[in-house]
Amino acid sequence: ASDSASEAPGQGAVDYSLLLKWVNLKSSQDTGSSNSETGHFREVKMYPWVGAFIKYVADQLAKAVADSPPPKTPRQLETFRKADVVAIDADDWRRVDMALTQCIDSPKRDGTSEEKFTYAQSAALIEVKRYEAEETAAFDQLALYTPYLYATQVNRRFAWGLTICGTHVRACLFIHDNILASEVMDVATESGRKQFVTLLVNWAMCESQRLGYDPTIRYNGETSQWEIDVWDDESRETRTYICEYVVADTSSLFGQHRRCFVARAKESSDEQPAQKVLIKDAWAYAAATGSKAARDELSNLRAIRDKLGADDALAGTYSHLEAGGVVQQMHTKQKTADDTTESIFADIDASVLEEVPDRIHRRVATTPVGEQLKSVRSVDELIVVVGDVMAAHTAIVRRCGILHRDLSTNNIMFCRDDDGMVRGLLIDFDNAVLQSDLHDEQRPDQIGTFPYMSIGNLEQSSVKRTALDDWESLIYILCWLGTIGINRDDQTNVDIQSNLPICRWRDGSAESVAAAKRQFLESSAAFESAVLQQFASSEAYGELGELLYELRDMLLNNSNMSQLGHGCLKLNPTRAYFQAMKPRAHHLDCSIDISTVDPFARRAEFADAIVDDLLRVVQRHRDEALERIKDAQQLDGAFIIFLLLCCFLVL
């Protein structure tokens, strides 16, 4: 290596002798002077040395297979031409030391290594430190940058990385719940160099899924489009879709790594366009964990489709399953198998994985494709959407036994028909569970985001979760939209100040947010003062305020419940006081002992009856809003006809 140089594709000459500076680097922090290559100097000096080593391995591998071509051309794994730079495809000023990129068989296109560093073209990130003692800092920085690989690579299943501290190299495997690191490969030793070279060769020769890529999501260079395969468990066939755009990517290091795409069937054409579908790709836990109920969105969607699919009144108001199943990956002997974390770790010692939960990679295609809630044109449209969604929600609870548990502004959407009318759409059953499973939970899990979570959810109370928790979430959603504005136009000039009372539902701990919600909802006066009076002063927002006032009253002060079942606060008075509040025979909770002082617990026992009352309220307001929309459309149509007549008379 010290006597040779190579011309890499698209690059200048590489001085292989630089790799000798790295492998001969002394690890002691006390040797040499500040000008010595084996003494004190900044890590930046090591970048070309590491790059030369990796380049040398890639070129020697290419020469070795030139005379005896293997079935698969090896990847030309090299580092980007520039090191210690800011990625041009991320809104982040932090500088990444180095990264491997694929010159052949890249996840997006073939070509030479890029001059400008991008996360999208990175096979693995590299964090370099001068000394072995800085290994923890190297791990921390690698974990900080790796989420950008997931954010910019829609076909990334898991990620690799390298820490290089002095002559010590570790390979890091970033998975959905943990980070695994290899033993040290010390390139200052012959055995360490052999291990590192073996790793680089294996990365160059292995199947793309072993590098963390997903062959079932692939870039078609001829059409410049992403193609997505959806395996359907029922029909036992693969359906291929063309991605039109990415709705949501993932940018977290751990978790489900959920991605959403809007796509159409590949066999469609401009003359016969296919219906658009929403494809959701996620890694869910394989089974229930501890005392938590199991979540299986695919099974939920299948049950909802089978039980509600023939109900035309609900058509288009919930996610309808078109295809879905566990993603299939090609493994040894050209056989496919379920894509799970267990299959990824097949070659890793089981003792290392004792604390790593198993996840399953599922992908579903659903219809219809909705618009975000912030795109509604009026308060009346919002009320119509809410009415449709809660009708679907109630049907799913009662006829399918499935509780959504995660109502938010992201999961309530709408579709606009050809006549301009809106229809609500309930999506995202990731966190939905069978109601029958909830009874076995010793401690219900916390689901959702603070502003929209029910009080019981925030506090993880022992009170069983019911549909009332989702109705409570709906109240918070509408309160939030009424305060900040329902759509982009209304939100343009709204500056949410931290001193607005409702911001206490967003900031702080789960306990403090729950306490603020109890305070604002406990009485009608508090609710009106802290929430409703903060709404915009237009007549339309007044309609929303009336709906909310009735919903809150029906949920928390339902006349069919005794006073013990009213409000948000647990009572702690004397038993004589209890006797005065004792439920009467006409109260729903007359059979519950007065010692049950938690109003949420009392209401949970009669959730179905209270939901009936809530649904009647929201449906009445929906029908009234729908009439106002139709009246407005008629007026608009009459005005347009008038203008056309005026133009005709003028001409």
Side-chain angles (χ1 to χ4, degrees):
S2 60
D3 299 325
S4 63
S6 174
E7 187 74 19
Q11 292 185 287
V14 175
D15 184 359
Y16 290 148
S17 65
L18 292 176
L19 68 86
L20 298 177
K21 296 180 181 293
W22 182 30
V23 300
N24 292 324
L25 179 66
K26 294 181 180 179
S27 62
S28 172
Q29 299 187 27
D30 302 317
T31 59
S33 65
S34 59
N35 295 323
S36 171
E37 291 178 349
T38 59
H40 296 288
F41 55 83
R42 294 181 58 210
E43 64 205 36
V44 66
K45 197 168 185 178
M46 295 173 58
Y47 299 158
W49 306 350
V50 173
F53 189 107
I54 294 172
K55 172 65 175 171
Y56 178 74
V57 173
D59 287 347
Q60 294 304 309
L61 177 61
K63 291 179 181 178
V65 301
D67 297 331
S68 179
K72 183 181 186 305
T73 303
R75 302 174 185 85
Q76 185 80 9
L77 283 179
E78 303 175 12
T79 58
F80 282 90
R81 294 174 65 180
K82 291 186 177 180
D84 190 30
V85 291
V86 175
I88 63 174
D89 57 350
D91 186 17
D92 189 352
W93 56 268
R94 288 170 294 201
R95 308 170 76 89
V96 177
D97 289 350
M98 304 180 74
L100 287 178
T101 186
Q102 303 182 55
C103 297
I104 299 176
D105 189 29
S106 75
K108 191 169 182 180
R109 62 180 185 274
D110 292 343
T112 59
S113 57
E114 303 285 340
E115 179 172 359
K116 294 183 178 180
F117 166 61
T118 63
Y119 285 112
Q121 289 299 106
S122 297
L125 302 181
I126 305 173
E127 189 60 35
V128 180
K129 297 295 180 185
R130 169 62 183 91
Y131 302 111
E132 288 84 348
E134 298 177 281
E135 190 173 67
T136 300
F139 280 133
D140 289 345
Q141 288 184 271
L142 202 57
L144 190 65
Y145 304 141
T146 297
Y148 288 106
L149 295 185
Y150 295 118
T152 58
Q153 299 179 21
V154 297
N155 60 339
R156 198 75 188 221
R157 297 158 60 234
F158 58 87
W160 290 96
L162 291 173
T163 60
I164 297 176
C165 302
T167 59
H168 286 189
V169 180
R170 287 186 190 266
C172 300
L173 178 60
F174 293 86
I175 52 180
H176 304 86
D177 297 281
N178 296 80
I179 305 173
L180 304 180
S182 70
E183 296 293 333
V184 168
M185 297 171 279
D186 188 352
V187 297
T189 67
E190 182 178 352
S191 61
R193 289 193 295 273
K194 181 177 180 180
Q195 288 175 320
F196 188 38
V197 169
T198 300
L199 174 68
L200 293 174
V201 171
N202 283 337
W203 277 354
M205 299 294 295
C206 70
E207 304 93 333
S208 60
Q209 56 262 38
R210 289 182 179 269
L211 277 182
Y213 296 105
D214 188 346
T216 65
I217 301 180
R218 57 196 170 276
Y219 189 78
N220 187 326
E222 295 182 0
T223 62
S224 299
Q225 294 173 317
W226 285 96
E227 296 181 356
I228 304 173
D229 292 338
V230 178
W231 168 257
D232 187 60
D233 286 343
E234 291 183 311
S235 64
R236 310 300 295 174
E237 63 180 13
T238 297
R239 304 183 189 182
T240 301
Y241 296 88
I242 303 298
C243 176
E244 295 199 348
Y245 56 91
V246 179
V247 178
D249 56 31
T250 183
S251 57
S252 60
L253 189 61
F254 300 128
Q256 293 191 70
H257 289 169
R258 184 177 63 180
R259 296 182 175 95
C260 295
F261 312 86
V262 171
R264 55 179 170 79
K266 184 178 181 180
E267 59 270 17
S268 62
S269 63
D270 294 337
E271 293 76 19
Q272 294 181 325
Q275 183 181 21
K276 290 182 179 180
V277 300
L278 179 69
I279 296 177
K280 182 189 292 185
D281 181 277
W283 290 77
Y285 287 120
T289 56
S291 62
K292 308 305 181 188
R295 308 172 197 172
D296 184 349
E297 183 177 29
L298 179 60
S299 295
N300 290 333
L301 290 173
R302 190 168 287 141
I304 293 169
R305 179 199 62 192
D306 293 345
K307 295 180 180 180
L308 302 184
D311 192 335
D312 293 338
L314 294 172
T317 61
Y318 59 87
S319 295
H320 182 274
L321 180 66
E322 299 292 337
V326 178
V327 175
Q328 301 295 296
Q329 295 290 352
M330 186 69 69
H331 289 284
T332 57
K333 299 181 181 179
Q334 297 300 304
K335 293 184 178 180
T336 60
D338 290 351
D339 193 17
T340 67
T341 49
E342 184 179 5
S343 65
I344 293 173
F345 307 141
D347 298 327
I348 298 179
D349 189 338
S351 62
V352 178
L353 304 172
E354 288 181 358
E355 302 300 322
V356 180
D358 191 24
R359 288 181 181 265
I360 296 179
H361 188 189
R362 293 191 180 98
R363 188 173 299 152
V364 297
T366 61
T367 56
V369 176
E371 297 182 52
Q372 291 184 316
L373 202 55
K374 61 185 177 182
S375 298
V376 294
R377 297 170 184 170
S378 66
V379 170
D380 282 336
E381 285 194 347
L382 172 64
I383 294 174
V384 170
V385 168
V386 167
D388 292 340
V389 163
M390 296 316 293
H393 179 277
T394 303
I396 290 169
V397 171
R398 293 181 174 175
R399 294 160 62 180
C400 307
I402 295 171
L403 187 62
H404 191 282
R405 299 201 304 169
D406 190 20
L407 290 194
S408 72
T409 53
N410 292 325
N411 299 335
I412 296 177
M413 304 187 79
F414 73 94
C415 298
R416 192 173 297 279
D417 297 332
D418 294 338
D419 60 1
M421 302 302 290
V422 295
R423 184 177 66 256
L425 173 64
L426 180 61
I427 68 166
D428 197 354
F429 291 82
D430 269 353
N431 292 312
V433 295
L434 293 174
Q435 281 191 299
S436 57
D437 290 345
L438 293 174
H439 297 290
D440 299 326
E441 290 187 293
Q442 296 178 348
R443 185 176 178 82
D445 44 350
Q446 200 174 64
I447 299 297
T449 51
F450 280 6
Y452 315 126
M453 289 166 62
S454 69
I455 292 171
N457 192 356
L458 284 163
E459 296 177 340
Q460 291 185 275
S461 74
S462 59
V463 177
K464 67 179 180 181
R465 299 289 182 267
T466 69
L468 296 183
D469 287 274
D470 285 349
W471 279 91
E472 186 182 334
S473 293
L474 175 69
I475 290 176
Y476 300 139
I477 292 168
L478 296 180
C479 287
W480 196 259
L481 293 176
T483 301
I484 69 171
I486 64 163
N487 54 30
R488 297 181 181 91
D489 292 337
D490 290 1
Q491 293 172 8
T492 301
N493 298 317
V494 174
D495 183 16
I496 306 175
Q497 302 295 334
S498 59
N499 59 354
L500 279 175
I502 200 173
C503 287
R504 291 173 58 190
W505 295 358
R506 178 191 62 187
D507 305 326
S509 65
E511 292 76 13
S512 65
V513 171
K517 289 181 176 181
R518 285 184 187 273
Q519 178 185 348
F520 295 165
L521 268 67
E522 174 60 23
S523 69
S524 298
F527 185 61
E528 187 165 358
S529 172
V531 180
L532 299 185
Q533 289 183 6
Q534 311 301 323
F535 279 20
S537 57
S538 69
E539 180 180 349
Y541 279 86
E543 299 287 350
L544 182 61
E546 289 181 16
L547 169 60
L548 273 167
Y549 190 91
E550 290 187 47
L551 286 176
R552 180 243 160 231
D553 196 53
M554 195 63 71
L555 175 64
L556 302 181
N557 289 341
N558 195 293
S559 60
N560 293 319
M561 297 289 295
S562 71
Q563 292 185 51
L564 292 174
H566 286 188
C568 302
L569 304 178
K570 294 180 181 180
L571 298 176
N572 192 26
T574 63
R575 186 167 183 83
Y577 184 81
F578 280 159
Q579 290 294 341
M581 301 179 68
K582 186 175 181 179
R584 302 298 182 254
H586 67 279
H587 288 135
L588 291 172
D589 56 334
C590 62
S591 61
I592 301 179
D593 190 84
I594 59 174
S595 60
T596 301
V597 296
D598 186 344
F600 289 98
R602 299 185 76 90
R603 291 193 292 266
E605 294 299 321
F606 304 96
D608 282 348
I610 297 175
V611 166
D612 284 338
D613 294 335
L614 291 165
L615 193 59
R616 277 192 291 270
V617 169
V618 78
Q619 288 300 317
R620 175 167 50 82
H621 280 268
R622 177 201 179 275
D623 293 343
E624 293 171 355
L626 189 59
E627 287 302 317
R628 290 192 293 269
I629 292 173
K630 291 179 179 178
D631 291 344
Q633 286 182 336
Q634 290 177 355
L635 287 174
D636 290 342
F639 183 68
I640 291 173
I641 293 174
F642 173 75
L643 289 179
L644 291 174
L645 287 173
C646 290
C647 293
F648 177 76
L649 292 174
V650 170
L651 293 175

